[in-house]
Amino acid sequence: MAPRPFRALCPAAPKRAPPPPTHRPTTFYDLPPELRVEIYKLALLNTHLHILPEASASQPPHSLTLATKQIRLEVLPLLHSTCPITASITDFDFTSLLTWLKTMPPDQETNLCKNERLKVILKTTINEKKEKTSNSSRNSSTLKRWLHLRADRYRAQPGWVYEGRTPDGRTSSDLKRKYKRAAVEGEKRELGVMLRAVGIPVVQGSRFRDDSAEGGSEG
């Protein structure tokens, strides 16, 4: 039996060269977190937050917070802990400030306590009508809510500093009565700090009371 002829071997296919590596473009998020923080600080350098009575609660505090969720989470702590924040309060109506604080993420209240440039500007208007009550007396409920919040020992308390001109006689008398009738110690102390900041002497009985040694938010 004749042997079978060997089959001719085909040459091996040449090996293909591996594709060149694709380089992903570098983005802002590839920067180290420390460098991103320094960039945020430069962007917030001249930022001053103003809480106005007519301001909308949905208004963003800074355009950077609208970029992406990650940038917002990285910017808010710097915004609340370093930038000056001024709340303008007219006739002791704290609605705008209370709304602003209510919309703030809970984890940001601690950052707000680190801020040493928090200011509340107190303004009053004169009641032109011949009424026995002042314009400020109409906002007793929001003032009460603010004092209750400030007296809460279980809540982070930022160092708000009060400033403002001395109100008219009718408003001053109304505020003195509120102070005298205040039953909660923490609320009364905060109201006393507020009144002294606008030049209204705090009276208890027939003697002036100065409880500044007990603390408070007076600058």
Side-chain angles (χ1 to χ4, degrees):
M1 183 174 178
R4 293 182 179 181
F6 292 103
R7 297 175 63 181
L9 296 177
C10 297
K15 293 183 178 180
R16 295 183 179 181
T22 57
H23 295 284
R24 185 175 61 88
T26 302
T27 68
F28 179 73
Y29 302 107
D30 293 318
L31 297 175
E34 297 81 5
L35 184 56
R36 294 203 301 270
V37 168
E38 293 303 319
I39 294 175
Y40 297 144
K41 287 181 179 178
L42 291 174
L44 299 174
L45 193 58
N46 297 318
T47 300
H48 191 150
L49 298 184
H50 294 273
I51 305 172
L52 304 176
E54 66 276 5
S56 171
S58 60
Q59 184 177 354
H62 194 277
S63 57
L64 277 176
T65 61
L66 300 176
T68 64
K69 183 178 180 179
Q70 181 175 344
I71 290 180
R72 175 182 174 84
L73 293 176
E74 294 175 347
V75 167
L76 282 180
L78 291 172
L79 193 67
H80 291 143
S81 63
T82 61
C83 295
I85 302 177
T86 300
S88 297
I89 305 299
T90 302
D91 291 328
F92 293 86
D93 183 359
F94 283 84
T95 301
S96 57
L97 182 53
L98 289 168
T99 303
W100 185 79
L101 291 172
K102 186 177 180 180
T103 57
M104 176 181 294
D107 60 319
Q108 292 302 313
E109 291 189 2
T110 303
N111 291 316
L112 199 63
C113 291
K114 302 175 184 177
N115 198 329
E116 298 180 354
R117 296 190 286 179
L118 303 178
K119 189 180 298 184
V120 175
I121 305 297
L122 300 172
K123 305 176 183 178
T124 55
T125 58
I126 299 177
N127 191 341
E128 300 294 345
K129 300 179 180 179
K130 294 182 178 180
E131 299 176 355
K132 296 182 179 180
T133 59
S134 64
N135 291 339
S136 300
S137 63
R138 303 173 184 175
N139 303 312
S140 296
S141 59
T142 62
L143 175 59
K144 179 69 175 178
R145 287 168 53 200
W146 172 252
L147 296 176
H148 179 74
L149 182 148
R150 295 292 290 167
D152 188 352
R153 298 181 180 180
Y154 301 100
R155 186 186 184 102
Q157 294 295 348
W160 294 100
V161 176
Y162 301 107
E163 292 183 6
R165 296 182 178 179
T166 304
D168 62 281
R170 181 179 296 176
T171 302
S172 298
S173 299
D174 180 57
L175 292 169
K176 287 179 182 179
R177 285 193 296 270
K178 283 183 172 61
Y179 176 82
K180 186 176 181 180
R181 297 170 182 173
V184 181
E185 179 183 356
E187 296 179 6
K188 187 168 188 174
R189 181 171 58 250
E190 186 71 18
L191 182 57
V193 171
M194 192 184 304
L195 299 188
R196 288 195 302 273
V198 295
I200 300 177
V202 176
V203 180
Q204 186 177 24
S206 59
R207 300 180 61 186
F208 288 96
R209 178 186 179 188
D210 183 6
D211 49 14
S212 59
E214 301 178 20
S217 306
E218 188 176 15

